[in-house]
Amino acid sequence: MGTGATRVKPEIEKTTPLMTATTSAGEAAFLILDRDFQIFLIKEKLVLESDDPEAVHDMRVAARRMRSAIQTFESFLPAAIVKSESELQWIFKRLGVVRDLDIDKEKLLAWHETTPGKEEAFQELADKLTEERKKARGELKRSIHSQRYKQLVQELSASLSKGPSSHNALASVPVIVVAPDLIEKRYKRARKIGKALTESSPSPEFHRLRKQAKKLRYTLDFFAELYGKSGEQMVSHLKGLQDLLGSRQDDVMASDHLKAIVATNGLAKGTKTVAKKIISSFSDEAKQYAHDFEPAFEDVFGKPWRKLDRVMKKSRTQLWAD
């Protein structure tokens, strides 16, 4: 790889600076993917060897970051890597089933800690979730041991080891030149969705913004080191919005899951009554997050963005002048 980049080793954290303004877009794409691929493999080992919910979460985040990087840098990457995004989505969804159950269990425990009593009902619901998670984890482990997964890892490893293609003229463009357009593309998509939301908007629309906000944050993460404090501040504000949207979605998903459990015929009558109270509690929380949405949205898409936009364009103009 070129002189503007730093080859990553598995033990190096993802916060280690990877690039400079003159690193090519192709090099930047490979370095970002290589870093997160290594993290992905490290977390895979932990998922197989332990039952730690954080290992599942971290492996899923690494998969999501790789998917986001492939989508962001698609024009600068070889077809083999672009094609792998759909396979990363497959394992991402398998990880997601387990992760969602972990969140449901966390929320149920948090509710129980603030609402003492109802031990039998709480335990019955907790046992249901534990049973479902055990099955989901078994499916996840079988997926990781499958030939399909092994082929994904082998193909990604082989493609990343080759480095950027010398036949792609776009890939040789300095990353500081293309970064503002890649970031702005994500920004405009998220902003358009967010501007249309109101406190009473349906849950799928909030979740749609959540997904676009994650893509924007990852794209900003890829380039934040190039823009110093303004990049870091934008990422920080965006994390606040993500946390709010994520908490709202967790309430919605946990509520829907409990509704599905209540709809089955296996619960005691008292447990169903308690479950309905929990569902109501989660629904109230979701409404509060929707109420708090507008100021959190403005914290991202107002002044912080305008400041970053000025810095990005100034940095690109300066490179051209030099």
Side-chain angles (χ1 to χ4, degrees):
M1 296 193 180
T3 57
T6 304
R7 179 70 180 180
V8 193
K9 295 181 180 179
E11 67 272 14
I12 295 178
E13 292 293 330
K14 63 184 179 182
T15 53
T16 302
L18 293 177
M19 67 189 78
T20 68
T22 56
T23 301
S24 73
E27 284 180 305
F30 270 79
L31 287 165
I32 290 165
L33 281 168
D34 190 35
R35 174 192 61 195
D36 288 317
F37 183 53
Q38 291 172 30
I39 295 171
F40 178 78
L41 294 178
I42 291 169
K43 300 305 178 181
E44 172 214 291
K45 189 170 185 290
L46 292 175
V47 167
L48 291 175
E49 294 179 352
S50 74
D51 199 17
D52 182 7
E54 286 306 306
V56 173
H57 173 60
D58 291 344
M59 186 178 176
R60 188 167 182 254
V61 169
R64 185 193 285 121
R65 286 180 62 88
M66 283 192 287
R67 291 182 60 209
S68 184
I70 291 170
Q71 293 166 3
T72 298
F73 289 99
E74 182 175 355
S75 299
F76 314 105
L77 291 168
I81 291 183
V82 174
K83 184 180 177 181
S84 70
E85 194 271 330
S86 61
E87 289 299 280
L88 281 168
Q89 183 182 33
W90 161 69
I91 196 65
F92 174 79
K93 288 182 177 179
R94 288 285 194 275
L95 290 158
V97 175
V98 180
R99 176 60 181 166
D100 289 345
L101 286 164
D102 285 333
I103 292 172
D104 290 348
K105 289 181 69 176
E106 288 173 7
K107 290 197 65 63
L108 180 63
L109 179 60
W111 178 87
H112 182 59
E113 287 175 347
T114 60
T115 313
K118 310 296 183 184
E119 292 296 332
E120 290 185 8
F122 165 75
Q123 194 58 56
E124 186 175 7
L125 291 171
D127 288 345
K128 285 281 186 182
L129 292 177
T130 298
E131 182 182 349
E132 288 187 28
R133 188 191 187 277
K134 183 178 180 180
K135 291 179 181 178
R137 184 169 184 264
E139 286 294 324
L140 173 60
K141 291 177 72 174
R142 283 189 286 275
S143 295
I144 293 174
H145 285 302
S146 71
Q147 185 58 40
R148 181 178 181 179
Y149 179 81
K150 290 176 183 177
Q151 185 174 345
L152 166 64
V153 170
Q154 289 169 358
E155 290 179 353
L156 266 175
S157 181
S159 296
L160 288 171
S161 67
K162 293 177 182 177
S165 171
S166 59
H167 301 295
N168 186 339
L170 280 175
S172 64
V173 176
V175 68
I176 202 76
V177 173
V178 301
D181 295 328
L182 297 175
I183 293 171
E184 187 173 18
K185 181 180 178 181
R186 292 289 193 201
Y187 166 81
K188 286 182 176 179
R189 286 181 180 176
R191 184 177 183 273
K192 182 178 180 180
I193 296 170
K195 280 291 186 181
L197 289 178
T198 67
E199 188 175 333
S200 59
S201 293
S203 293
E205 290 303 303
F206 278 98
H207 185 45
R208 186 170 166 231
L209 174 61
R210 183 194 180 202
K211 291 191 290 186
Q212 287 298 328
K214 281 185 178 181
K215 291 179 180 180
L216 172 58
R217 181 187 167 188
Y218 289 145
T219 305
L220 284 166
D221 272 342
F222 299 153
F223 304 117
E225 64 196 78
L226 299 176
Y227 301 117
K229 189 175 180 180
S230 60
E232 293 170 2
Q233 287 177 339
M234 183 67 180
V235 169
S236 178
H237 284 290
L238 191 53
K239 186 178 184 300
L241 176 62
Q242 272 188 265
D243 288 346
L244 184 148
L245 293 170
S247 295
R248 186 186 189 283
Q249 183 64 15
D250 290 346
D251 281 323
V252 171
M253 290 184 63
S255 179
D256 288 345
H257 195 177
L258 283 177
K259 287 177 184 177
I261 291 175
V262 169
T264 65
N265 296 320
L267 291 181
K269 183 177 179 181
T271 302
K272 287 187 176 183
T273 300
V274 171
K276 289 176 182 178
K277 290 180 180 179
I278 299 173
I279 291 167
S280 178
S281 173
F282 290 166
S283 297
D284 289 343
E285 286 181 10
K287 290 176 183 177
Q288 183 59 49
Y289 286 125
H291 176 73
D292 296 339
F293 161 73
E294 188 173 342
F297 180 80
E298 287 301 321
D299 278 347
V300 176
F301 295 87
K303 187 176 178 181
W305 168 255
R306 291 191 293 272
K307 182 178 179 181
L308 174 61
D309 190 43
R310 288 194 298 269
V311 171
M312 289 193 300
K313 290 174 180 175
K314 182 179 179 181
S315 298
R316 178 163 61 184
T317 302
Q318 185 61 49
L319 181 68
W320 285 337
D322 292 342

